[in-house]
Amino acid sequence: MDTYPAPSAGLESLAGPIRITKIEAIPFALPYRRAPRFASGTVATADNVLVRVHTDAGFVGQAEAQPRPYTYGETQASIVAAVSGQLSDALTGVNPLRLERVAERCAALEGNYVARGAVDLAVWDVVGQILGCACHLLLGGYAEDVAVTHMVSFAEPAAMAEDAVEVYERLGVKTFKVKVGRAPAVDLAALRAIREALPDAELYVDANRGWSYEDAVRAGDELAELGVRAVEEPISVEDRAGRRRLAGRWTMPLVGDESCISLAHVDRALEEGAVGVVSVKTARTGFTESRRILDLCLARKVAVIVGSQYEGAIGATATLAFAAAFAATAGQPAEIANFLDLADDVVIAPPEIRDGRAAVSAAPGVGIEVDEERLARYRVDR
Ligand SMILES: [Mg+2]
């Protein structure tokens, strides 16, 4: 950092001496207060990976990867291998400011969405630090804060309503994504309990492909009567005819999540015609590809939700930066509250949620400060 030239030297000479020296992947496991349970799986501990992009100028970019084997096929071990192996090799020696070269080199590794997404976020973090600029400003800088959505996991219907009420009362959160995809009678009982407890809450649901087509038809009509605004991935992504029939049957749009895990997937889903809203997750498409997805959706006049895969506070901070950066995302609630389900975390200051809103970090980069003591306690590679 001592050789850092004055900004007047111009971007190229400013960035010229700075190179990525390696990418580190640190697996860690955090305990949950309330373990996420949903139709595609249960998460007992947050078996995440801290990604660190090291540079020869002393800047270190950081991001968090959350393995979701049932969605992407990636595990904690596969993410560590991909990040510290092929992705680290591909980016060593690259100037991090050349984000399109970074993207090109990462794209040489097929699949591995979560590993590549986290590396992209960590490179953006380092770019922000080099430039002395917060990432939400580099991306677009539309807003300073966004409204927050909380996800309600599977439990007994009364407990799900209690979860929602607690977050509503304590943090002022008024939008909830409720996990469904069990027997329609159970799902409907949960939605009725939440609606009764919170008559003015905004509700949408996520079945994580858990329903059969018949279940979806049975549940869907009543969900609409309960004021549910949208239905995320009701049935198998492979059942394309069924998805189109559901989209035609309901006034509630289908939200594409597992069907929309990359730019190419979103393009196909929009061609297919069933998806009316796209869930964009920086956890799998980083900032670079998430922005491309957003642009595609803007061109097609398709709404976007900034989604979460139950990130910890590191991931939530990045998601928040993206959500606040664009007009199309800042104006609506983003899924960033679920780090609250963790019993502990490895950051010094998680995003603060007040009156239902979370403010972006003004610090250069994404604005993550890791608590090294807690990281040492929770890392699982030593
Ligand atoms: Mg989902």
Side-chain angles (χ1 to χ4, degrees), residues 151 177 179 206-208 232-233 257-258 279 281 308 335:
M151 287 201 281
K177 178 159 95 173
K179 291 295 190 179
D206 184 1
N208 288 104
E232 193 165 309
E233 301 296 9
D257 179 6
E258 289 94 329
S279 178
K281 296 184 176 178
S308 152
E335 298 169 5

PDB file of all heavy atoms in Angstrom, residues 151 177 179 206-208 232-233 257-258 279 281 308 335, ligand 1:
ATOM      1  N   MET A 151     -37.211 -14.181   5.422  1.00  0.00           N
ATOM      2  CA  MET A 151     -37.719 -15.476   4.990  1.00  0.00           C
ATOM      3  C   MET A 151     -38.157 -16.282   6.207  1.00  0.00           C
ATOM      4  O   MET A 151     -37.435 -16.354   7.193  1.00  0.00           O
ATOM      5  CB  MET A 151     -36.647 -16.247   4.222  1.00  0.00           C
ATOM      6  CG  MET A 151     -36.413 -15.677   2.835  1.00  0.00           C
ATOM      7  SD  MET A 151     -35.641 -16.875   1.756  1.00  0.00           S
ATOM      8  CE  MET A 151     -33.942 -16.766   2.281  1.00  0.00           C
ATOM      9  N   LYS A 177     -41.077 -13.653   2.893  1.00  0.00           N
ATOM     10  CA  LYS A 177     -41.137 -14.768   1.955  1.00  0.00           C
ATOM     11  C   LYS A 177     -41.317 -16.022   2.794  1.00  0.00           C
ATOM     12  O   LYS A 177     -40.460 -16.372   3.610  1.00  0.00           O
ATOM     13  CB  LYS A 177     -39.869 -14.870   1.117  1.00  0.00           C
ATOM     14  CG  LYS A 177     -39.910 -16.072   0.181  1.00  0.00           C
ATOM     15  CD  LYS A 177     -38.964 -15.916  -0.980  1.00  0.00           C
ATOM     16  CE  LYS A 177     -37.636 -16.579  -0.715  1.00  0.00           C
ATOM     17  NZ  LYS A 177     -36.782 -16.552  -1.922  1.00  0.00           N
ATOM     18  N   LYS A 179     -41.731 -19.991   3.284  1.00  0.00           N
ATOM     19  CA  LYS A 179     -41.402 -21.255   2.644  1.00  0.00           C
ATOM     20  C   LYS A 179     -42.629 -22.166   2.645  1.00  0.00           C
ATOM     21  O   LYS A 179     -43.259 -22.387   3.700  1.00  0.00           O
ATOM     22  CB  LYS A 179     -40.238 -21.924   3.379  1.00  0.00           C
ATOM     23  CG  LYS A 179     -38.908 -21.178   3.204  1.00  0.00           C
ATOM     24  CD  LYS A 179     -38.417 -21.199   1.753  1.00  0.00           C
ATOM     25  CE  LYS A 179     -36.994 -20.669   1.641  1.00  0.00           C
ATOM     26  NZ  LYS A 179     -36.504 -20.696   0.247  1.00  0.00           N
ATOM     27  N   ASP A 206     -42.351 -19.402  -1.368  1.00  0.00           N
ATOM     28  CA  ASP A 206     -41.311 -20.111  -2.117  1.00  0.00           C
ATOM     29  C   ASP A 206     -41.445 -21.599  -1.845  1.00  0.00           C
ATOM     30  O   ASP A 206     -41.241 -22.059  -0.719  1.00  0.00           O
ATOM     31  CB  ASP A 206     -39.925 -19.612  -1.677  1.00  0.00           C
ATOM     32  CG  ASP A 206     -38.802 -20.247  -2.486  1.00  0.00           C
ATOM     33  OD1 ASP A 206     -39.095 -21.053  -3.400  1.00  0.00           O
ATOM     34  OD2 ASP A 206     -37.625 -19.933  -2.212  1.00  0.00           O
ATOM     35  N   ALA A 207     -41.829 -22.367  -2.881  1.00  0.00           N
ATOM     36  CA  ALA A 207     -42.026 -23.814  -2.713  1.00  0.00           C
ATOM     37  C   ALA A 207     -40.753 -24.609  -2.986  1.00  0.00           C
ATOM     38  O   ALA A 207     -40.751 -25.828  -2.799  1.00  0.00           O
ATOM     39  CB  ALA A 207     -43.153 -24.300  -3.611  1.00  0.00           C
ATOM     40  N   ASN A 208     -39.697 -23.961  -3.450  1.00  0.00           N
ATOM     41  CA  ASN A 208     -38.448 -24.687  -3.755  1.00  0.00           C
ATOM     42  C   ASN A 208     -38.725 -25.980  -4.525  1.00  0.00           C
ATOM     43  O   ASN A 208     -38.121 -27.016  -4.247  1.00  0.00           O
ATOM     44  CB  ASN A 208     -37.658 -24.972  -2.471  1.00  0.00           C
ATOM     45  CG  ASN A 208     -37.032 -23.710  -1.887  1.00  0.00           C
ATOM     46  OD1 ASN A 208     -37.531 -23.173  -0.897  1.00  0.00           O
ATOM     47  ND2 ASN A 208     -35.982 -23.212  -2.495  1.00  0.00           N
ATOM     48  N   GLU A 232     -42.767 -18.526  -5.782  1.00  0.00           N
ATOM     49  CA  GLU A 232     -41.431 -18.862  -6.295  1.00  0.00           C
ATOM     50  C   GLU A 232     -41.325 -20.372  -6.494  1.00  0.00           C
ATOM     51  O   GLU A 232     -41.653 -21.147  -5.594  1.00  0.00           O
ATOM     52  CB  GLU A 232     -40.397 -18.363  -5.275  1.00  0.00           C
ATOM     53  CG  GLU A 232     -38.967 -18.352  -5.780  1.00  0.00           C
ATOM     54  CD  GLU A 232     -38.070 -17.502  -4.868  1.00  0.00           C
ATOM     55  OE1 GLU A 232     -38.426 -16.333  -4.578  1.00  0.00           O
ATOM     56  OE2 GLU A 232     -37.035 -18.016  -4.433  1.00  0.00           O
ATOM     57  N   GLU A 233     -40.845 -20.769  -7.645  1.00  0.00           N
ATOM     58  CA  GLU A 233     -40.559 -22.165  -8.016  1.00  0.00           C
ATOM     59  C   GLU A 233     -41.551 -23.169  -7.393  1.00  0.00           C
ATOM     60  O   GLU A 233     -41.184 -23.993  -6.549  1.00  0.00           O
ATOM     61  CB  GLU A 233     -39.126 -22.537  -7.626  1.00  0.00           C
ATOM     62  CG  GLU A 233     -38.068 -21.668  -8.286  1.00  0.00           C
ATOM     63  CD  GLU A 233     -38.007 -21.777  -9.822  1.00  0.00           C
ATOM     64  OE1 GLU A 233     -38.895 -22.396 -10.444  1.00  0.00           O
ATOM     65  OE2 GLU A 233     -37.046 -21.216 -10.389  1.00  0.00           O
ATOM     66  N   ASP A 257     -36.214 -18.877  -9.509  1.00  0.00           N
ATOM     67  CA  ASP A 257     -35.013 -18.911  -8.660  1.00  0.00           C
ATOM     68  C   ASP A 257     -34.113 -20.045  -9.147  1.00  0.00           C
ATOM     69  O   ASP A 257     -33.149 -19.813  -9.871  1.00  0.00           O
ATOM     70  CB  ASP A 257     -35.429 -19.071  -7.196  1.00  0.00           C
ATOM     71  CG  ASP A 257     -34.233 -19.138  -6.253  1.00  0.00           C
ATOM     72  OD1 ASP A 257     -33.088 -18.958  -6.708  1.00  0.00           O
ATOM     73  OD2 ASP A 257     -34.422 -19.388  -5.040  1.00  0.00           O
ATOM     74  N   GLU A 258     -34.453 -21.300  -8.812  1.00  0.00           N
ATOM     75  CA  GLU A 258     -33.628 -22.418  -9.266  1.00  0.00           C
ATOM     76  C   GLU A 258     -33.603 -22.521 -10.797  1.00  0.00           C
ATOM     77  O   GLU A 258     -32.674 -23.112 -11.359  1.00  0.00           O
ATOM     78  CB  GLU A 258     -34.132 -23.740  -8.652  1.00  0.00           C
ATOM     79  CG  GLU A 258     -33.860 -23.891  -7.163  1.00  0.00           C
ATOM     80  CD  GLU A 258     -35.033 -23.429  -6.304  1.00  0.00           C
ATOM     81  OE1 GLU A 258     -35.772 -22.500  -6.724  1.00  0.00           O
ATOM     82  OE2 GLU A 258     -35.226 -23.983  -5.206  1.00  0.00           O
ATOM     83  N   SER A 279     -35.515 -13.874  -9.529  1.00  0.00           N
ATOM     84  CA  SER A 279     -34.740 -13.708  -8.299  1.00  0.00           C
ATOM     85  C   SER A 279     -33.259 -13.639  -8.663  1.00  0.00           C
ATOM     86  O   SER A 279     -32.708 -14.580  -9.231  1.00  0.00           O
ATOM     87  CB  SER A 279     -35.001 -14.881  -7.349  1.00  0.00           C
ATOM     88  OG  SER A 279     -34.218 -14.741  -6.181  1.00  0.00           O
ATOM     89  N   LYS A 281     -29.459 -13.355  -7.337  1.00  0.00           N
ATOM     90  CA  LYS A 281     -28.701 -13.619  -6.106  1.00  0.00           C
ATOM     91  C   LYS A 281     -27.226 -13.386  -6.354  1.00  0.00           C
ATOM     92  O   LYS A 281     -26.598 -14.117  -7.137  1.00  0.00           O
ATOM     93  CB  LYS A 281     -28.934 -15.064  -5.635  1.00  0.00           C
ATOM     94  CG  LYS A 281     -30.374 -15.346  -5.237  1.00  0.00           C
ATOM     95  CD  LYS A 281     -30.524 -16.749  -4.691  1.00  0.00           C
ATOM     96  CE  LYS A 281     -31.948 -16.990  -4.195  1.00  0.00           C
ATOM     97  NZ  LYS A 281     -32.126 -18.363  -3.707  1.00  0.00           N
ATOM     98  N   SER A 308     -31.888 -14.194  -1.587  1.00  0.00           N
ATOM     99  CA  SER A 308     -30.869 -14.643  -0.638  1.00  0.00           C
ATOM    100  C   SER A 308     -30.814 -16.153  -0.640  1.00  0.00           C
ATOM    101  O   SER A 308     -31.822 -16.812  -0.895  1.00  0.00           O
ATOM    102  CB  SER A 308     -31.246 -14.150   0.752  1.00  0.00           C
ATOM    103  OG  SER A 308     -30.747 -15.015   1.756  1.00  0.00           O
ATOM    104  N   GLU A 335     -34.070  -9.599   0.072  1.00  0.00           N
ATOM    105  CA  GLU A 335     -33.975 -10.672   1.081  1.00  0.00           C
ATOM    106  C   GLU A 335     -32.614 -10.616   1.774  1.00  0.00           C
ATOM    107  O   GLU A 335     -31.671 -11.272   1.346  1.00  0.00           O
ATOM    108  CB  GLU A 335     -34.194 -12.025   0.393  1.00  0.00           C
ATOM    109  CG  GLU A 335     -35.571 -12.140  -0.244  1.00  0.00           C
ATOM    110  CD  GLU A 335     -35.706 -13.360  -1.156  1.00  0.00           C
ATOM    111  OE1 GLU A 335     -34.769 -14.178  -1.228  1.00  0.00           O
ATOM    112  OE2 GLU A 335     -36.759 -13.475  -1.794  1.00  0.00           O
TER     113      GLU A 335
HETATM  114 MG    MG B   1     -36.006 -19.676  -3.670  1.00  0.00          MG
END
